[in-house]
Amino acid sequence: MNYPKDLATLINYYEKLPGIGSKSAERLAIATIELKEEEITEFSDALKNAKKNLSRCSVCGHITDQELCDICRDETRNKNLICVIEDYKNIFAFEKSGKFNGTYHVLNGLISPLDDIGPEDINLNSLIVRLEKLKNPELILALKPTIEGEATTMYIKKILEGKNVTISRLAYGIPIGAEIDYLDNITLEKALEDRKKISE
Amino acid sequence: MNYPKDLATLINYYEKLPGIGSKSAERLAIATIELKEEEITEFSDALKNAKKNLSRCSVCGHITDQELCDICRDETRNKNLICVIEDYKNIFAFEKSGKFNGTYHVLNGLISPLDDIGPEDINLNSLIVRLEKLKNPELILALKPTIEGEATTMYIKKILEGKNVTISRLAYGIPIGAEIDYLDNITLEKALEDRKKISE
């Protein structure tokens, strides 16, 4: 199958994106060339600008087009409450829930001895610096429940021992809407362990 | 949910593409800004170039970056066999099968009296001109089995009556791999009507 060269290049780039196979890439590339001339120009500029103008928030590590991200700049946010996450993408998920009024700290990775990633390789020092400036801060560790996530959680807990920091982690349990038949054993075990009295 | 402005623009453009919802658009936009600087530049240029350099083949109407598309330029293709299709995208499907050695003619639409689209609104005249230059050409009408597809098939059949053109249409029937339980009535009816003797 020979596509015209420019179309082939475009298909090739779409295929680099996650979840886009060759069939989807073809469909997206064709849809793209059917956009209006000015839309193409804007799309093309948006690609370059997004890469050029976005960098990391100097406090929390979220992506932003300014020195501080909009969450760190927001006066109404509780700066004493910090949700620690692996990746800035997680912030979008929390923000969409609209239920969290604290701030974030992006680790940009998790401790993983097997992959030779130690505490000094992730964005931990800046977290300690942040915490030292706060009075009775609370940390919510929202790391994924894998070996690496647990190792990082345990490490953070350990280095903050004796310091005046309240530390919690996200609850493990049954996701809302799930069929109990299809749950994995570990989730079910955690859900049993952490069961809550209905009167609470 | 507030995305940084340039990210929001990018998400907005991805959302214009077919089959991309807001969640996919967010994921694609984030993956895009994580591409390397030079990849972004190439992707961005590919977008503009694809739009700028691609036009329609002057013979068959396929997209191409030259005067004639690669199929019309191909000396090994049977120029007397023309497969008539609604849209150039159909060509990619035929070419992937690798089983067709003729050429194509893109109608860019179908006759649809309800939408006020008549024979003069689709790319039919150039088909007649093509056919006049050929000796005993064969036409395969590969139009979709809808009212518009049937109307166009019938119209082409009518205007070519008495001219020395062999006309056929794609077979209707059960698609390979389909579960008979789930087939619609009309397909099943066509498959019964057009049944073939096993000895053939």
Side-chain angles (χ1 to χ4, degrees):
Chain A
M1 176 62 240
N2 284 325
Y3 297 104
K5 190 176 141 283
D6 294 302
L7 187 62
T9 313
L10 203 52
I11 291 173
N12 181 31
Y13 271 99
Y14 276 118
E15 270 187 307
K16 288 181 195 251
L17 300 178
I20 305 292
S22 59
K23 192 127 186 94
S24 300
E26 180 191 294
R27 207 184 42 187
L28 292 178
I30 288 172
T32 309
I33 59 172
E34 288 179 352
L35 290 173
K36 295 194 201 90
E37 186 85 41
E38 63 268 27
E39 286 180 320
I40 295 271
T41 309
E42 278 169 33
F43 190 3
S44 171
D45 291 346
L47 278 170
K48 283 188 190 160
N49 289 341
K51 182 72 176 177
K52 196 175 64 188
N53 299 340
L54 294 176
S55 58
R56 295 311 183 93
C57 170
S58 60
V59 171
C60 75
H62 187 28
I63 52 166
T64 174
D65 46 13
Q66 304 191 34
E67 163 73 18
L68 292 184
C69 74
D70 52 352
I71 296 164
C72 288
R73 282 200 316 272
D74 187 339
E75 293 293 331
T76 69
R77 291 285 189 142
N78 180 355
K79 300 290 190 303
N80 264 329
L81 178 61
I82 302 177
C83 180
V84 178
I85 50 177
E86 177 187 353
D87 190 299
Y88 72 85
K89 296 178 198 86
N90 306 149
I91 294 180
F92 299 129
F94 277 102
E95 289 297 292
K96 273 176 200 154
S97 81
K99 295 296 180 198
F100 182 68
N101 194 39
T103 58
Y104 299 93
H105 193 85
V106 181
L107 292 182
N108 267 331
L110 294 173
I111 295 173
S112 170
L114 282 177
D115 301 313
D116 213 19
I117 301 174
E120 66 287 350
D121 299 315
I122 62 176
N123 193 20
L124 259 179
N125 277 341
S126 61
L127 177 63
I128 311 293
V129 173
R130 271 180 90 175
L131 289 172
E132 278 165 0
K133 293 181 196 153
L134 299 172
K135 214 176 141 183
N136 302 325
E138 185 184 344
L139 222 53
I140 301 172
L141 302 178
L143 306 174
K144 62 188 174 199
T146 60
I147 294 173
E148 294 78 18
E150 290 295 325
T152 312
T153 297
M154 287 304 130
Y155 182 84
I156 295 175
K157 197 169 164 285
K158 199 171 138 245
I159 55 169
L160 294 177
E161 248 165 35
K163 294 186 178 162
N164 205 1
V165 182
T166 311
I167 307 180
S168 54
R169 66 157 172 75
L170 289 188
Y172 296 149
I174 307 173
I176 307 307
E179 294 279 351
I180 294 192
D181 302 7
Y182 296 120
L183 279 181
D184 63 295
N185 297 337
I186 301 174
T187 303
L188 214 47
E189 194 187 316
K190 296 275 184 192
L192 269 173
E193 250 175 53
D194 293 355
R195 64 190 177 277
K196 290 185 84 172
K197 283 208 177 132
I198 291 180
S199 58
E200 269 181 2
Chain B
M1 175 64 240
N2 284 325
Y3 298 104
K5 190 177 139 284
D6 294 301
L7 187 62
T9 312
L10 203 51
I11 291 174
N12 180 31
Y13 271 99
Y14 276 118
E15 271 188 305
K16 288 181 195 254
L17 301 177
I20 306 291
S22 60
K23 191 126 187 95
S24 299
E26 179 191 294
R27 207 183 45 189
L28 292 177
I30 288 172
T32 309
I33 59 173
E34 288 178 353
L35 290 173
K36 295 195 202 92
E37 185 85 41
E38 63 267 28
E39 286 180 320
I40 294 270
T41 309
E42 279 169 33
F43 190 5
S44 170
D45 291 347
L47 278 171
K48 282 187 190 161
N49 289 340
K51 182 71 178 181
K52 194 175 64 188
N53 299 340
L54 294 176
S55 58
R56 295 312 185 92
C57 170
S58 61
V59 172
C60 75
H62 188 27
I63 53 166
T64 175
D65 47 13
Q66 302 190 35
E67 163 74 18
L68 291 184
C69 73
D70 52 353
I71 296 164
C72 287
R73 282 199 316 271
D74 187 339
E75 293 293 331
T76 69
R77 292 284 189 143
N78 181 355
K79 300 291 192 303
N80 264 328
L81 179 60
I82 300 177
C83 180
V84 177
I85 51 178
E86 178 187 352
D87 192 299
Y88 71 86
K89 297 178 196 86
N90 306 149
I91 294 180
F92 300 128
F94 277 102
E95 289 298 291
K96 273 175 200 155
S97 81
K99 295 295 180 199
F100 181 68
N101 193 39
T103 58
Y104 299 92
H105 193 86
V106 182
L107 292 183
N108 267 330
L110 294 173
I111 296 173
S112 171
L114 282 177
D115 301 312
D116 213 19
I117 302 173
E120 67 288 350
D121 299 315
I122 63 176
N123 192 20
L124 260 178
N125 277 341
S126 60
L127 177 63
I128 311 293
V129 174
R130 269 179 91 176
L131 290 171
E132 278 165 0
K133 293 181 194 152
L134 299 171
K135 213 177 142 185
N136 301 326
E138 185 183 345
L139 223 51
I140 302 173
L141 302 178
L143 305 175
K144 62 188 174 199
T146 59
I147 295 173
E148 293 79 18
E150 290 295 326
T152 312
T153 298
M154 286 305 130
Y155 182 84
I156 295 175
K157 197 169 165 287
K158 199 172 140 245
I159 56 170
L160 294 177
E161 249 166 35
K163 294 185 176 161
N164 206 1
V165 182
T166 312
I167 306 180
S168 53
R169 66 155 170 77
L170 289 187
Y172 297 147
I174 307 173
I176 307 307
E179 294 280 350
I180 294 192
D181 302 7
Y182 296 119
L183 280 179
D184 62 294
N185 297 338
I186 301 174
T187 303
L188 213 49
E189 192 187 317
K190 295 276 183 191
L192 269 174
E193 250 176 55
D194 292 356
R195 65 190 177 276
K196 289 185 86 172
K197 280 204 179 136
I198 292 180
S199 60
E200 269 182 2

